[in-house]
Amino acid sequence: MMSFTETKTIALLIFITAYILFVFLPKKRTLIAVIGALLLVLLGVMSPKEAFFAINWNVMGIFVGTLVVADIFMESRVPAYIAEIIVDKAKNTAWSILLICALAGFISAFVENVATVLIVAPIALSLAKKLKINPANMMIAIAISSNLQGCATLIGDPPSMLLGGFAKMTFWDFFLYKGRPSIFFAVELGAITSFFVLYFIFRNLKQKTTLIPVEKVRSWVPTIFLVSLIVLLALSSFLDTGFSYAAGIICMVFGIIALLWEKFINKGSVIEGIKSLDWETTLFLAGIFILVGSISSTGWIEAISGFLSGQIGENIFLGYTVIVFISVLLSAFIDNVPFLAAMLPVAVSMSNKLGINPSLFLFGLLIGTSLGGNITPIGASANIVACGLLKKEGYEVKFSHFVKIGLPFTLAAVISAYLLVWFVWSSRLVR
């Protein structure tokens, strides 16, 4: 039987190896996470029971259930139909693009970012073809707008779900937390600030555009499902104040209802619907929970937080700034889900050592990790999908081209959100 020191060393080695491989083999990230989790169990670092309970099943339920509802919402063509109306009502092309980005952001607050890009992309490409312009800037703007708003609500994106599960935050807590404005308002301030960056990019497109309507709404029922899901998640906050089960159950129930509706009303295949879901990300999330659980149970979280706390001393503003901007920098190149999952317990541990309310560091961490991915074409899945769609249309996006738009957009959004979180939460530092 291994000693605790050996167990601790193996846990760290597997964790570090997995994270390095995430960077260099991003397409194999799910396989790496699953193999890492299995190794932890097979080598005796964690028992099967410990691994099972290391997974936050409430978050998993939210993710899978929301995926199903988002999928049928996309298939209903309601978002694309609304996008066409927006383009026709806008006073010129610049405002058409800006409003399409705003629509993408709104949808992304409730639907996974990649799904949002796939929903809105056909309208953007149609508009570009009509105007005979390169759609690259437009598609990049849609992707980064989607990523920005994805962290505004509990169900917008996996990082928000991770934070919600870890901090036991309800759907409503993302709007008002402990009597103060929460992460939603920081994100919206970032959206307003970054909107001016997008306006500067598209300001010269003055021509008026009218699209010939081609989208027909197949059904409004998925929209009703989505709105009902959001309302029930908000109400569940009062029933499950510890964020332990209700949100996940509600999302899974709605996912099952959506699948049955697709089967009996639309005559679709339930099996095909289940197969088409993003099971890769689902397994990836499960693997990450186990990897992070291993370094937490072996004491490494405390060690890391102790080191970082030692570096910043008693300077809380410095600690907050370091957490936000290191997160921005690293998330531009590595997957934000494993990074956030690893850093959440570190942020809380640092807060405890400094004797402050952990909300400051946790919100700063979410802002940095969620928005940092907007800097590069490989920083977020939505960016990769957008660039893939452009390549399919014959437009290659250079790394430098993406950064030229993504960097100023990200800095504008992050700095304003970072300042608002500090302004709201720094006055409540002492518990």
Side-chain angles (χ1 to χ4, degrees), residues 57-67 154-155 161 243 247-248 251:
W57 292 105
N58 196 38
V59 170
M60 298 300 290
I62 293 170
F63 182 70
V64 175
T66 306
L67 271 182
L154 173 67
I155 61 172
M161 298 176 196
F243 191 75
C251 289

Side-chain angles (χ1 to χ4, degrees), residues 36-115:
L38 286 173
L39 281 174
L40 289 167
V41 174
L42 292 172
L43 294 173
V45 177
M46 301 177 83
S47 68
K49 184 179 177 181
E50 287 172 330
F52 180 84
F53 285 106
I55 298 170
N56 189 323
W57 292 105
N58 196 38
V59 170
M60 298 300 290
I62 293 170
F63 182 70
V64 175
T66 306
L67 271 182
V68 179
V69 177
D71 191 49
I72 67 159
F73 178 61
M74 180 172 68
E75 292 297 322
S76 73
R77 307 310 297 164
V78 170
Y81 171 74
I82 294 170
E84 279 189 350
I85 294 172
I86 287 173
V87 170
D88 283 337
K89 298 294 182 186
K91 64 180 181 179
N92 58 39
T93 299
W95 278 100
S96 293
I97 295 169
L98 292 171
L99 290 171
I100 287 173
C101 290
L103 175 68
F106 175 77
I107 295 170
S108 190
F110 308 103
V111 175
E112 205 274 330
N113 298 349
V114 170

Side-chain angles (χ1 to χ4, degrees), residues 108-341:
S108 190
F110 308 103
V111 175
E112 205 274 330
N113 298 349
V114 170
T116 301
V117 171
L118 293 171
I119 288 168
V120 180
I123 299 302
L125 294 171
S126 171
L127 180 61
K129 284 176 183 174
K130 185 177 178 66
L131 296 173
K132 295 182 174 58
I133 60 173
N134 188 322
N137 288 357
M138 205 187 317
M139 287 291 287
I140 293 169
I142 288 168
I144 59 181
S145 298
S146 171
N147 290 328
L148 168 62
Q149 294 282 6
C151 64
T153 70
L154 173 67
I155 61 172
D157 210 26
S160 296
M161 298 176 196
L162 284 174
L163 175 65
F166 181 82
K168 300 192 182 304
M169 291 175 68
T170 63
F171 184 86
W172 184 245
D173 285 338
F174 271 68
F175 297 87
L176 198 67
Y177 189 54
K178 297 181 179 178
R180 299 237 170 171
S182 191
I183 195 72
F184 174 83
F185 294 98
V187 172
E188 296 316 307
L189 179 62
I192 292 168
T193 310
S194 58
F195 185 85
F196 290 101
V197 174
L198 294 182
Y199 178 79
F200 181 81
I201 292 167
F202 298 112
R203 69 192 185 283
N204 294 325
L205 298 173
K206 301 290 188 184
Q207 62 269 52
K208 168 63 183 168
T209 308
T210 305
L211 287 181
I212 300 170
V214 295
E215 293 294 343
K216 302 278 190 226
V217 173
R218 295 172 186 172
S219 173
W220 289 97
V221 173
T223 306
I224 296 169
F225 285 162
L226 184 61
V227 172
S228 301
L229 173 61
I230 292 163
V231 171
L232 279 177
L233 282 173
L235 292 175
S236 74
S237 305
F238 300 103
L239 301 173
D240 181 22
T241 52
F243 191 75
S244 56
Y245 64 91
I249 291 173
I250 288 169
C251 289
M252 286 301 293
V253 167
F254 267 83
I256 292 167
I257 292 170
L259 281 173
L260 292 174
W261 179 83
E262 181 70 14
K263 167 70 176 174
F264 293 109
I265 306 300
N266 269 6
K267 307 301 180 187
S269 168
V270 172
I271 302 298
E272 288 303 314
I274 293 172
K275 279 183 181 177
S276 67
L277 295 178
D278 189 0
W279 291 111
E280 197 170 316
T281 303
T282 305
L283 288 172
F284 176 62
L285 274 176
I288 289 301
F289 278 127
I290 295 170
L291 285 168
V292 173
S294 73
I295 62 162
S296 182
S297 64
T298 51
W300 284 109
I301 295 297
E302 282 297 309
I304 295 166
S305 65
F307 172 76
L308 290 175
S309 298
Q311 299 305 303
I312 64 173
E314 296 297 314
N315 192 329
I316 295 163
F317 182 73
L318 174 62
Y320 171 64
T321 303
V322 166
I323 277 182
V324 173
F325 288 98
I326 282 183
S327 300
V328 169
L329 180 63
L330 293 178
S331 293
F333 301 97
I334 67 172
D335 198 297
N336 60 8
V337 172
F339 176 75
L340 180 70

